[in-house]
Amino acid sequence: MTVSLSRLERQLGYTFKDQELMVLALTHRSFAGRNNERLEFLGDAILNFAAGEALFERFPQAREGQLSRLRARLVKGETLAVLARGFGLGEYLRLGSGELKSGGFRRESILADALEALIGAIYLDAGMETAKERVVAWLASEIESLTLVDTNKDPKTRPQEYLQSRGCELPRYEVVDIQGEP
């Protein structure tokens, strides 16, 4: 496993001093009792901070709401899963047999969670500056492509804010149909 982890480290642009942190970050809860969930929690916080700081610097004229919407785009599971796939992260994950059989190594949520866990592991291994530098480097093209022009609120938020501003009751939503895989 050491040789293949070296290849992943090259993809990530970071070499771990403590390889056990890296292995733990790649260990899904289906594999073992000791898993990457705590590292994922830590990595999520660092990811949000690093992305927020990068956006704060890139868009000095942006309002808080605009920055929040831009950050949400950067740190969403879909974006993280694309990055994780680019690193080939799925082939390094330690999954239980059930997750392996069901294709867990391709599942967006598992890939995104493992990437967050790796961020947490890098933080513990080398500190905040290194973790932030890796996050910003990984997200660089995404950050570069963002503009303040496309920070419009989603169709659900706009009417809710309109109603709230006028002291009206908020709409109630009802699920009419559910389709596709969960």
Side-chain angles (χ1 to χ4, degrees), residues 10-177:
R10 284 191 300 278
Q11 291 286 325
L12 297 172
Y14 180 76
T15 302
F16 280 86
K17 294 176 215 104
D18 181 354
Q19 290 284 307
E20 288 302 311
L21 280 171
M22 184 181 192
V23 170
L24 184 59
L26 297 169
T27 305
H28 187 260
R29 71 175 171 248
S30 65
F31 184 83
R34 191 158 183 258
N35 59 61
N36 66 4
E37 287 179 331
R38 288 175 48 84
L39 286 173
E40 176 195 339
F41 168 81
L42 187 58
D44 177 65
I46 294 162
L47 170 66
N48 275 284
F49 176 76
E53 183 179 55
L55 292 168
F56 184 85
E57 291 171 2
R58 174 146 163 56
F59 298 104
Q61 72 284 18
R63 294 182 314 276
E64 177 192 11
Q66 290 174 304
L67 291 170
S68 292
R69 285 185 290 281
L70 289 172
R71 184 183 57 200
R73 286 185 193 169
L74 284 178
V75 302
K76 66 183 179 181
E78 181 183 332
T79 303
L80 299 180
V82 167
L83 282 174
R85 284 188 189 100
F87 296 139
L89 199 57
E91 67 186 85
Y92 301 98
L93 295 176
R94 295 172 13 136
L95 302 169
S97 60
E99 281 296 343
L100 275 173
K101 289 175 189 168
S102 69
F105 58 93
R106 288 187 301 263
R107 190 166 299 123
E108 187 173 282
S109 61
I110 290 176
L111 290 169
D113 291 349
L115 189 60
E116 287 177 338
L118 282 167
I119 294 167
I122 291 170
Y123 166 75
L124 292 176
D125 199 53
M128 182 60 101
E129 287 308 310
T130 301
K132 285 186 345 185
E133 182 270 324
R134 285 293 77 216
V135 168
V136 172
W138 297 343
L139 293 173
S141 65
E142 291 288 328
I143 292 170
E144 195 60 36
S145 70
L146 293 172
T147 68
L148 292 178
V149 175
D150 61 358
T151 58
N152 291 328
K153 296 174 184 169
D154 63 85
K156 186 176 167 186
T157 301
R158 283 193 305 264
Q160 285 182 183
E161 287 181 354
Y162 176 82
L163 291 169
Q164 281 179 318
S165 72
R166 283 156 180 74
C168 298
E169 189 176 319
L170 290 176
R172 294 206 282 197
Y173 301 96
E174 179 182 323
V175 177
V176 176
D177 188 24

